[in-house]
């Protein structure tokens, strides 16, 4: 290696890049895989990924993806997502959760991660407060990427490791974002109706207290595992429980988990149209779109 190259490797980079840490769950997953390689019998539940040999994507989705490539749908997709997919996501949510969101209130991206990044980036200024439960997935990293002030709320085993209004209440004053997820990663536990209702009431109370020119407290509601509930558990969400939450709620979802399609890269947000527009603008500069053939295929797979 040349001297200049060796020196360049020591040049300072941004504070943010220098201090990025890798995903804890991937580290854990690698450790488990190493033990499996060494002959131990371990069921690896660390990473929300699936062995495609056991859990392939649905045949109908695969057929549509192949057809879309064969039909040359390979140029840029629309920045906010293909209209047929936004319409299909809108109908899917109506069918599954009875949530009424129009196509203009849906934004498509290359999975849920860019959606979450865009939510953080749209709402937060440097140093803004983000309240999130512990344990939860990756909020610490998104706070770091955006220079936000992450406020971690410890959850208890008595409440299934889900946050309660009482846990959150002391931190909502001045906070810009409350990051919630149900079913929760890594615990797999869910909000009860009462738990989430009380949290919504706490958010609504805080937003009523704020002046017109103050940024409201937004809720990011990640329901990417929502379609995978079984038994007596029933998925609950803020806007269904408290319609007044609509202006303050942004949903995160995608096909990664519910259709075992982590490598296919189709995710979406649902929320107020003006926020979807801002998020679209950010994602366009990054180019974090979902591939056009996958979008068209997912739309056909979802149907009307
Ligand atoms: C709660 C949660 N949200 C979002 C994601 C990311 O989903 P995607 O693969 O669609 O980016 C994951 C998993 O990786 C997750 O566990």
């Amino acid at each position: 290696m040349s001297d200049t190259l060796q020196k360049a490797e020591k040049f300072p980079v941004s504070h943010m890049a220098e201090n990025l840490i890798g995903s804890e769950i991937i580290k854990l997953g690698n450790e488990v895989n190493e033990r499996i390689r060494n002959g131990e019998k371990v069921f690896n539940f660390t990473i929300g990924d699936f062995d495609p040999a056991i859990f392939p994507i649905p045949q109908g989705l695969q057929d549509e993806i192949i057809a879309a490539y064969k039909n040359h749908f390979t140029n840029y997709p629309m920045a906010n997502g293909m209209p047929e997919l936004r319409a299909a996501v809108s109908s899917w949510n109506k069918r599954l959760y009875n949530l009424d969101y129009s196509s203009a209130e849906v934004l498509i991206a290359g999975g849920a991660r860019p959606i979450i990044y865009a939510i953080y980036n749209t709402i937060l200024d440097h140093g803004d407060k983000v309240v999130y439960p512990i344990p939860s997935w990756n909020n610490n990293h998104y706070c770091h990427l955006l220079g936000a002030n992450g406020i971690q709320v410890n959850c208890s085993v008595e409440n299934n490791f889900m946050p309660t209004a009482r846990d959150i209440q002391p931190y909502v004053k001045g906070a810009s974002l409350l990051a919630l997820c149900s079913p929760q990663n890594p615990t797999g536990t869910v909000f009860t109706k009462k738990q989430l209702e009380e949290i919504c009431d706490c958010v609504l109370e805080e937003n009523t207290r704020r002046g017109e020119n103050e940024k409201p407290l937004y809720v990011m509601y990640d329901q990417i595992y929502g379609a995978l509930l079984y038994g007596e558990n029933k998925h609950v969400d803020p806007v269904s429980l408290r319609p007044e939450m609509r202006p303050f709620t942004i949903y995160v979802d995608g096909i990664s988990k519910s259709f075992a399609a982590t490598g296919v890269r189709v995710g979406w947000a649902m929320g107020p149209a003006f926020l979807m527009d801002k998020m679209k603008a950010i994602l366009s500069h990054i180019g974090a779109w979902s591939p056009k053939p996958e979008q068209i295929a997912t739309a056909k797979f979802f149907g009307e």
Side-chain angles (χ1 to χ4, degrees), residues 10 34 62 134-135 221-222 226 255 262 267:
K10 297 202 177 88
E34 181 61 28
Q62 180 177 309
I134 292 290
Y221 199 72
D222 185 338
I255 65 169
T262 47

Side-chain angles (χ1 to χ4, degrees), residues 4-60:
T4 349
L5 241 178
Q6 251 175 352
K7 261 191 219 147
E9 282 184 359
K10 297 202 177 88
F11 287 162
V13 294
S14 75
H15 183 78
M16 189 281 289
E18 188 63 50
N19 291 287
L20 257 184
I21 52 167
S23 158
E24 295 84 0
I25 201 83
I26 288 178
K27 223 183 295 165
L28 257 178
N30 288 341
E31 280 171 32
V32 172
N33 283 334
E34 181 61 28
R35 289 172 64 168
I36 294 170
R37 263 194 302 278
N38 290 337
E40 276 185 67
K41 185 163 185 184
V42 186
F43 294 99
N44 190 353
F45 287 131
T46 52
I47 299 175
D49 202 3
F50 308 85
D51 179 348
I54 303 169
F55 297 104
I57 61 170
Q59 189 62 49

Side-chain angles (χ1 to χ4, degrees), residues 123-124 128-129 131 169 171-178 202-218 248:
I123 288 172
L124 303 169
D128 274 0
K129 261 167 65 173
V131 179
Q169 176 64 50
Y171 308 106
V172 294
K173 193 159 184 279
S176 302
L177 183 64
L178 172 62
C202 170
V203 171
L204 290 169
E205 202 177 296
E206 171 63 17
N207 282 336
T208 307
R209 201 193 54 73
R210 290 191 188 184
E212 250 176 44
N213 295 324
E214 254 182 291
K215 205 189 279 181
L217 170 58
Y218 286 103
F248 313 120

Side-chain angles (χ1 to χ4, degrees), residues 111-113 116 137 181 185 222 224-225 256-257 265:
R113 286 161 214 247
I116 298 172
W137 177 81
C181 175
N185 177 354
D222 185 338
I224 199 155
Y225 297 98
S256 300
K257 315 294 177 172
R265 309 315 298 155

Side-chain angles (χ1 to χ4, degrees), residues 116 119-120 123-124 129-140 142-143 150-153 155 162-163 168 172 175-182 184-185 191 196 199 203 217-223 238 248 250 252:
I116 298 172
I119 292 172
Y120 269 68
I123 288 172
L124 303 169
K129 261 167 65 173
V130 181
V131 179
Y132 61 88
I134 292 290
S136 68
W137 177 81
N138 270 9
N139 288 297
N140 54 333
Y142 290 106
C143 283
I151 310 288
Q152 305 187 336
V153 175
C155 300
M162 295 302 281
I168 287 167
V172 294
S176 302
L177 183 64
L178 172 62
L180 301 177
C181 175
S182 182
Q184 176 72 287
N185 177 354
F191 276 125
L196 189 58
I199 291 176
V203 171
L217 170 58
Y218 286 103
V219 171
M220 179 180 90
Y221 199 72
D222 185 338
Q223 50 183 11
F248 313 120
I250 308 163
V252 176

Side-chain angles (χ1 to χ4, degrees), residues 178-285:
L178 172 62
L180 301 177
C181 175
S182 182
Q184 176 72 287
N185 177 354
T187 56
T189 50
V190 298
F191 276 125
T192 63
K193 180 169 175 280
K194 183 165 179 290
Q195 267 175 338
L196 189 58
E197 276 172 348
E198 287 173 358
I199 291 176
C200 291
D201 290 341
C202 170
V203 171
L204 290 169
E205 202 177 296
E206 171 63 17
N207 282 336
T208 307
R209 201 193 54 73
R210 290 191 188 184
E212 250 176 44
N213 295 324
E214 254 182 291
K215 205 189 279 181
L217 170 58
Y218 286 103
V219 171
M220 179 180 90
Y221 199 72
D222 185 338
Q223 50 183 11
I224 199 155
Y225 297 98
L228 294 177
L229 288 193
Y230 62 93
E232 282 169 9
N233 290 316
K234 194 174 169 333
H235 183 65
V236 289
D237 74 87
V239 176
S240 300
L241 295 179
R242 292 284 185 265
E244 313 90 291
M245 282 294 292
R246 194 176 176 101
F248 313 120
T249 305
I250 308 163
Y251 290 94
V252 176
D253 207 342
I255 65 169
S256 300
K257 315 294 177 172
S258 42
F259 296 100
T262 47
V264 177
R265 309 315 298 155
V266 180
W268 58 85
M270 295 192 307
F274 84 97
L275 286 177
M276 297 301 108
D277 263 5
K278 302 275 181 227
M279 287 165 57
K280 171 192 81 178
I282 292 167
L283 290 176
S284 292
H285 288 308

